[in-house]
Amino acid sequence: MTDLWIQPTGAALAADVHGIDLSRPVSDEVFARIADAWGEHLVLRFSGQKLDDRMLMQFSARFGELDRVPVAAASLDRADSDVIDEAREWVAVIASVKKDGKAVGSLGNYELVWHTDMSYNALPPRASLLYALEVPADGGNTGFLNMYAAYETLTPDLKRAIEGKTCIHDSSRNSAGELRKGFQRTLDVRQTPGAVHPLVRLHPVTGRKALFLGRRPGAYVHGLEVEESEELLDAIWAHATQEKFAWYQKWRAGDLVMWDNRCVMHRRDAFDESLRRLMHRTQIVGETVLAG
Protein backbone atom coordinates (compact mmCIF):
# COMPACT_ATOMS: atom_id res chain seq x y z
CA MET A 1 0.00 0.00 0.00
CA THR A 2 2.75 2.45 0.90
CA ASP A 3 4.52 1.81 -2.45
CA LEU A 4 1.64 3.25 -4.50
CA TRP A 5 2.05 6.84 -5.58
CA ILE A 6 0.53 9.07 -8.27
CA GLN A 7 2.62 11.40 -10.43
CA PRO A 8 0.65 13.92 -12.54
CA THR A 9 2.11 14.63 -15.97
CA GLY A 10 1.82 18.39 -15.48
CA ALA A 11 -0.28 18.64 -18.65
CA ALA A 12 -4.01 19.27 -18.86
CA LEU A 13 -4.66 15.64 -17.91
CA ALA A 14 -3.07 12.24 -17.17
CA ALA A 15 -0.94 10.81 -14.39
CA ASP A 16 1.47 7.91 -13.85
CA VAL A 17 0.63 5.27 -11.26
CA HIS A 18 3.81 3.93 -9.66
CA GLY A 19 4.46 1.11 -7.24
CA ILE A 20 1.88 -1.41 -8.42
CA ASP A 21 2.08 -4.76 -10.21
CA LEU A 22 -1.23 -5.37 -11.96
CA SER A 23 -0.41 -9.04 -12.55
CA ARG A 24 -1.20 -9.53 -8.85
CA PRO A 25 -4.56 -9.02 -7.10
CA VAL A 26 -5.36 -5.39 -6.28
CA SER A 27 -6.83 -4.81 -2.82
CA ASP A 28 -9.99 -2.77 -2.39
CA GLU A 29 -8.03 -0.05 -0.60
CA VAL A 30 -5.47 0.26 -3.40
CA PHE A 31 -8.17 0.13 -6.05
CA ALA A 32 -10.04 2.97 -4.33
CA ARG A 33 -6.92 5.14 -4.59
CA ILE A 34 -6.54 4.27 -8.27
CA ALA A 35 -10.21 5.08 -8.92
CA ASP A 36 -9.84 8.43 -7.15
CA ALA A 37 -6.75 9.24 -9.22
CA TRP A 38 -8.59 8.31 -12.40
CA GLY A 39 -11.46 10.63 -11.49
CA GLU A 40 -9.00 13.46 -10.91
CA HIS A 41 -6.62 12.95 -13.85
CA LEU A 42 -8.91 11.29 -16.48
CA VAL A 43 -6.06 9.24 -17.97
CA LEU A 44 -3.80 6.87 -16.03
CA ARG A 45 -0.58 5.17 -17.18
CA PHE A 46 0.78 2.02 -15.53
CA SER A 47 4.27 1.37 -16.90
CA GLY A 48 6.41 -1.77 -16.81
CA GLN A 49 3.49 -4.20 -16.55
CA LYS A 50 3.60 -7.87 -17.59
CA LEU A 51 0.01 -8.89 -18.25
CA ASP A 52 -1.73 -11.72 -20.02
CA ASP A 53 -5.31 -11.36 -21.24
CA ARG A 54 -6.82 -12.81 -18.05
CA MET A 55 -4.95 -10.28 -15.92
CA LEU A 56 -5.97 -7.43 -18.22
CA MET A 57 -9.59 -8.53 -18.07
CA GLN A 58 -9.56 -8.95 -14.29
CA PHE A 59 -8.19 -5.48 -13.67
CA SER A 60 -10.47 -3.89 -16.28
CA ALA A 61 -13.55 -5.53 -14.75
CA ARG A 62 -12.91 -3.71 -11.47
CA PHE A 63 -14.20 -0.58 -13.26
CA GLY A 64 -17.42 -2.20 -14.50
CA GLU A 65 -18.84 -4.79 -16.85
CA LEU A 66 -16.56 -5.66 -19.77
CA ASP A 67 -17.82 -4.58 -23.17
CA ARG A 68 -17.76 -7.00 -26.09
CA VAL A 69 -15.25 -6.56 -28.90
CA PRO A 70 -16.81 -4.65 -31.82
CA VAL A 71 -18.08 -7.00 -34.52
CA ALA A 72 -15.72 -5.65 -37.19
CA ALA A 73 -12.67 -6.30 -34.98
CA ALA A 74 -13.89 -9.69 -33.77
CA SER A 75 -14.28 -10.95 -37.34
CA LEU A 76 -10.57 -10.55 -38.14
CA ASP A 77 -8.21 -13.52 -38.34
CA ARG A 78 -6.41 -13.15 -35.02
CA ALA A 79 -4.42 -16.38 -35.01
CA ASP A 80 -1.16 -14.51 -34.57
CA SER A 81 -2.44 -12.18 -31.85
CA ASP A 82 -1.91 -14.45 -28.82
CA VAL A 83 -5.40 -13.66 -27.50
CA ILE A 84 -6.53 -16.61 -25.40
CA ASP A 85 -9.75 -18.29 -26.54
CA GLU A 86 -11.85 -17.20 -23.57
CA ALA A 87 -10.76 -13.56 -24.08
CA ARG A 88 -11.60 -13.25 -27.78
CA GLU A 89 -15.04 -11.87 -26.98
CA TRP A 90 -13.64 -9.21 -24.62
CA VAL A 91 -10.11 -8.29 -25.79
CA ALA A 92 -9.73 -6.36 -29.05
CA VAL A 93 -6.46 -6.44 -30.98
CA ILE A 94 -5.15 -3.10 -32.26
CA ALA A 95 -2.27 -3.97 -34.55
CA SER A 96 -0.29 -3.27 -37.68
CA VAL A 97 0.83 -6.92 -37.71
CA LYS A 98 -0.09 -9.14 -40.66
CA LYS A 99 -0.05 -12.90 -41.14
CA ASP A 100 -0.02 -14.32 -44.66
CA GLY A 101 -0.86 -10.86 -45.90
CA LYS A 102 -3.93 -10.52 -43.68
CA ALA A 103 -4.33 -8.15 -40.72
CA VAL A 104 -4.49 -9.86 -37.33
CA GLY A 105 -5.81 -6.71 -35.66
CA SER A 106 -7.60 -3.50 -36.51
CA LEU A 107 -6.63 0.12 -37.28
CA GLY A 108 -3.31 -0.62 -38.98
CA ASN A 109 -0.59 2.03 -38.98
CA TYR A 110 -2.39 5.17 -40.25
CA GLU A 111 -3.34 8.34 -38.41
CA LEU A 112 -6.49 8.25 -36.30
CA VAL A 113 -8.21 11.60 -35.91
CA TRP A 114 -9.55 13.02 -32.65
CA HIS A 115 -12.52 10.91 -31.55
CA THR A 116 -14.44 9.35 -28.68
CA ASP A 117 -14.50 5.55 -28.72
CA MET A 118 -17.73 4.10 -30.10
CA SER A 119 -19.76 7.22 -29.32
CA TYR A 120 -21.96 6.27 -32.27
CA ASN A 121 -23.59 3.71 -29.92
CA ALA A 122 -26.50 4.56 -27.64
CA LEU A 123 -24.36 3.52 -24.65
CA PRO A 124 -20.74 4.43 -25.47
CA PRO A 125 -18.12 2.65 -23.33
CA ARG A 126 -17.27 4.51 -20.13
CA ALA A 127 -13.60 3.52 -20.26
CA SER A 128 -10.97 2.08 -22.58
CA LEU A 129 -7.80 0.30 -21.43
CA LEU A 130 -4.98 -0.20 -23.95
CA TYR A 131 -1.99 -2.45 -23.21
CA ALA A 132 1.18 -2.34 -25.32
CA LEU A 133 2.78 -5.68 -26.23
CA GLU A 134 4.99 -4.50 -29.10
CA VAL A 135 5.63 -0.91 -30.17
CA PRO A 136 7.96 0.81 -32.64
CA ALA A 137 10.76 3.00 -31.32
CA ASP A 138 9.08 6.01 -32.86
CA GLY A 139 5.60 6.89 -34.11
CA GLY A 140 2.15 5.74 -33.11
CA ASN A 141 1.94 8.15 -30.17
CA THR A 142 -1.54 8.65 -28.69
CA GLY A 143 -2.89 12.07 -27.80
CA PHE A 144 -5.61 12.75 -25.22
CA LEU A 145 -7.82 15.82 -24.70
CA ASN A 146 -9.42 17.10 -21.49
CA MET A 147 -13.04 17.77 -22.44
CA TYR A 148 -13.91 19.23 -19.04
CA ALA A 149 -11.37 21.98 -19.63
CA ALA A 150 -12.50 22.40 -23.23
CA TYR A 151 -16.08 23.01 -22.10
CA GLU A 152 -15.21 25.24 -19.15
CA THR A 153 -13.12 27.58 -21.33
CA LEU A 154 -15.66 28.04 -24.12
CA THR A 155 -16.65 31.63 -24.77
CA PRO A 156 -20.02 32.63 -23.29
CA ASP A 157 -21.45 32.86 -26.82
CA LEU A 158 -20.40 29.29 -27.69
CA LYS A 159 -21.73 27.96 -24.38
CA ARG A 160 -25.09 29.55 -25.11
CA ALA A 161 -25.05 28.24 -28.69
CA ILE A 162 -24.64 24.60 -27.64
CA GLU A 163 -26.83 24.66 -24.54
CA GLY A 164 -29.49 21.97 -24.85
CA LYS A 165 -28.29 20.96 -28.33
CA THR A 166 -27.82 17.37 -29.53
CA CYS A 167 -25.52 16.02 -32.22
CA ILE A 168 -25.35 12.95 -34.47
CA HIS A 169 -22.31 10.70 -33.91
CA ASP A 170 -21.47 9.05 -37.24
CA SER A 171 -21.46 5.23 -37.21
CA SER A 172 -20.59 4.81 -40.89
CA ARG A 173 -16.88 5.64 -40.68
CA ASN A 174 -14.05 4.65 -38.36
CA SER A 175 -11.58 7.01 -36.71
CA ALA A 176 -9.36 6.92 -39.80
CA GLY A 177 -12.26 8.18 -41.91
CA GLU A 178 -12.74 4.84 -43.68
CA LEU A 179 -16.26 3.77 -44.61
CA ARG A 180 -17.24 0.73 -42.58
CA LYS A 181 -18.39 -2.44 -44.29
CA GLY A 182 -22.11 -2.39 -44.99
CA PHE A 183 -22.42 1.43 -45.00
CA GLN A 184 -22.76 3.86 -47.88
CA ARG A 185 -21.50 7.40 -48.13
CA THR A 186 -24.04 9.89 -46.76
CA LEU A 187 -24.23 13.13 -48.75
CA ASP A 188 -26.65 14.90 -46.38
CA VAL A 189 -25.28 15.14 -42.83
CA ARG A 190 -28.83 15.35 -41.52
CA GLN A 191 -29.17 11.70 -42.59
CA THR A 192 -25.94 10.52 -40.97
CA PRO A 193 -26.45 7.15 -39.23
CA GLY A 194 -25.51 6.83 -35.57
CA ALA A 195 -26.56 7.69 -32.04
CA VAL A 196 -27.69 11.18 -31.05
CA HIS A 197 -26.10 12.62 -27.89
CA PRO A 198 -26.06 15.99 -26.10
CA LEU A 199 -23.16 18.26 -27.00
CA VAL A 200 -22.61 18.86 -23.28
CA ARG A 201 -22.45 15.75 -21.14
CA LEU A 202 -22.87 15.50 -17.37
CA HIS A 203 -20.39 13.06 -15.87
CA PRO A 204 -22.37 10.60 -13.71
CA VAL A 205 -19.61 10.27 -11.09
CA THR A 206 -17.96 13.70 -10.84
CA GLY A 207 -21.04 15.76 -11.72
CA ARG A 208 -18.89 17.94 -14.01
CA LYS A 209 -19.86 19.07 -17.49
CA ALA A 210 -17.78 18.08 -20.53
CA LEU A 211 -18.00 18.59 -24.26
CA PHE A 212 -19.09 15.32 -25.82
CA LEU A 213 -17.85 15.04 -29.41
CA GLY A 214 -17.51 11.88 -31.48
CA ARG A 215 -15.87 12.52 -34.84
CA ARG A 216 -16.01 15.74 -36.83
CA PRO A 217 -16.97 14.31 -40.25
CA GLY A 218 -20.64 13.40 -40.53
CA ALA A 219 -21.66 15.26 -37.38
CA TYR A 220 -24.82 17.38 -37.41
CA VAL A 221 -26.39 19.55 -34.71
CA HIS A 222 -30.14 18.96 -34.58
CA GLY A 223 -32.45 21.89 -35.18
CA LEU A 224 -29.99 23.95 -37.20
CA GLU A 225 -29.60 24.56 -40.90
CA VAL A 226 -26.70 22.52 -42.27
CA GLU A 227 -24.56 25.62 -42.80
CA GLU A 228 -25.22 26.80 -39.23
CA SER A 229 -24.41 23.34 -37.86
CA GLU A 230 -21.14 23.17 -39.78
CA GLU A 231 -20.11 26.63 -38.59
CA LEU A 232 -20.90 25.82 -34.95
CA LEU A 233 -19.15 22.45 -35.03
CA ASP A 234 -16.07 23.94 -36.70
CA ALA A 235 -15.84 26.53 -33.91
CA ILE A 236 -16.26 23.92 -31.15
CA TRP A 237 -13.71 21.55 -32.64
CA ALA A 238 -11.17 24.31 -33.24
CA HIS A 239 -11.46 25.24 -29.57
CA ALA A 240 -11.53 21.71 -28.11
CA THR A 241 -8.50 20.39 -30.00
CA GLN A 242 -6.06 23.05 -28.86
CA GLU A 243 -2.75 21.69 -27.60
CA LYS A 244 -3.25 23.31 -24.19
CA PHE A 245 -5.92 20.68 -23.49
CA ALA A 246 -3.74 17.76 -24.64
CA TRP A 247 -1.23 15.21 -23.39
CA TYR A 248 0.61 12.68 -25.58
CA GLN A 249 1.58 9.14 -24.65
CA LYS A 250 4.82 7.84 -26.20
CA TRP A 251 4.37 4.07 -25.93
CA ARG A 252 6.72 1.54 -24.45
CA ALA A 253 6.09 -2.18 -24.24
CA GLY A 254 4.44 -2.92 -20.91
CA ASP A 255 2.49 0.35 -20.75
CA LEU A 256 -1.17 0.10 -19.81
CA VAL A 257 -3.11 3.33 -20.39
CA MET A 258 -6.74 3.81 -19.40
CA TRP A 259 -8.96 6.78 -20.13
CA ASP A 260 -12.45 8.01 -19.34
CA ASN A 261 -14.47 8.13 -22.57
CA ARG A 262 -17.04 10.36 -20.90
CA CYS A 263 -14.67 13.31 -20.69
CA VAL A 264 -11.67 12.47 -22.89
CA MET A 265 -11.06 12.38 -26.65
CA HIS A 266 -8.00 10.80 -28.24
CA ARG A 267 -6.11 10.38 -31.51
CA ARG A 268 -3.09 8.47 -32.87
CA ASP A 269 -0.07 9.48 -34.94
CA ALA A 270 0.71 7.44 -38.04
CA PHE A 271 3.82 5.26 -38.13
CA ASP A 272 5.88 3.28 -40.66
CA GLU A 273 3.82 0.36 -41.99
CA SER A 274 6.87 -1.92 -41.88
CA LEU A 275 7.05 -1.64 -38.08
CA ARG A 276 5.26 -3.96 -35.67
CA ARG A 277 2.78 -2.49 -33.20
CA LEU A 278 0.60 -4.87 -31.20
CA MET A 279 -1.85 -3.72 -28.51
CA HIS A 280 -4.67 -5.40 -26.59
CA ARG A 281 -7.70 -3.33 -25.59
CA THR A 282 -10.58 -3.80 -23.21
CA GLN A 283 -13.56 -1.51 -22.75
CA ILE A 284 -16.11 -1.00 -20.00
CA VAL A 285 -19.85 -0.91 -20.71
CA GLY A 286 -21.19 2.62 -20.52
CA GLU A 287 -24.31 4.20 -19.18
CA THR A 288 -26.98 6.53 -20.54
CA VAL A 289 -25.46 9.83 -21.67
CA LEU A 290 -26.84 12.57 -19.40
CA ALA A 291 -27.28 16.08 -20.77
CA GLY A 292 -25.23 18.71 -18.98
Side-chain angles (χ1 to χ4, degrees), residues 80-82 95-99 104 133-137 271-278:
D80 192 38
S81 67
D82 295 325
S96 61
V97 180
K98 294 184 178 181
K99 181 182 180 182
V104 300
L133 294 163
E134 295 182 59
V135 293
F271 58 98
D272 191 318
E273 64 180 352
S274 67
L275 302 176
R276 288 177 64 93
R277 186 180 190 267
L278 180 60

Side-chain angles (χ1 to χ4, degrees), residues 164-272:
K165 294 289 195 302
T166 58
C167 183
I168 295 176
H169 289 236
D170 186 9
S171 61
S172 67
R173 295 182 183 273
N174 65 18
S175 49
E178 298 174 326
L179 197 64
R180 290 189 169 96
K181 186 176 181 180
F183 286 91
Q184 295 181 340
R185 183 185 175 196
T186 305
L187 298 178
D188 184 348
V189 292
R190 293 170 295 186
Q191 304 303 318
T192 299
V196 176
H197 296 301
L199 276 169
V200 182
R201 178 173 188 170
L202 186 67
H203 197 289
V205 177
T206 66
R208 296 177 67 185
K209 293 182 179 182
L211 278 177
F212 192 56
L213 308 175
R215 295 166 177 81
R216 177 61 188 91
Y220 167 69
V221 180
H222 278 211
L224 299 183
E225 295 296 328
V226 171
E227 186 176 336
E228 290 179 297
S229 171
E230 292 290 301
E231 184 178 342
L232 178 58
L233 287 170
D234 284 345
I236 295 169
W237 277 83
H239 172 80
T241 56
Q242 294 178 82
E243 286 300 306
K244 66 181 180 180
F245 302 131
W247 171 76
Y248 274 80
Q249 153 74 352
K250 181 174 174 59
W251 290 96
R252 295 175 295 179
D255 282 350
L256 173 66
V257 175
M258 65 174 296
W259 61 94
D260 191 330
N261 273 303
R262 299 165 294 192
C263 54
V264 172
M265 284 206 302
H266 63 287
R267 64 170 301 278
R268 185 187 74 188
D269 293 336
F271 58 98
D272 191 318

Side-chain angles (χ1 to χ4, degrees), residues 5-81:
W5 61 286
I6 310 298
Q7 182 182 22
T9 61
L13 71 171
D16 283 290
V17 182
H18 299 287
I20 187 168
D21 179 356
L22 295 178
S23 69
R24 304 174 64 181
V26 177
S27 70
D28 290 344
E29 189 176 4
V30 169
F31 178 76
R33 290 184 62 189
I34 292 172
D36 286 345
W38 187 45
E40 180 178 356
H41 301 289
L42 320 186
V43 178
L44 295 181
R45 176 172 58 191
F46 305 82
S47 298
Q49 302 298 316
K50 296 182 179 179
L51 306 176
D52 60 25
D53 291 325
R54 291 186 188 89
M55 296 167 185
L56 176 59
M57 290 167 62
Q58 286 174 348
F59 178 65
S60 301
R62 296 293 293 272
F63 295 91
E65 179 186 353
L66 293 180
D67 208 356
R68 283 182 168 81
V69 171
V71 173
S75 64
L76 292 166
D77 175 10
R78 304 198 298 179
D80 192 38
S81 67

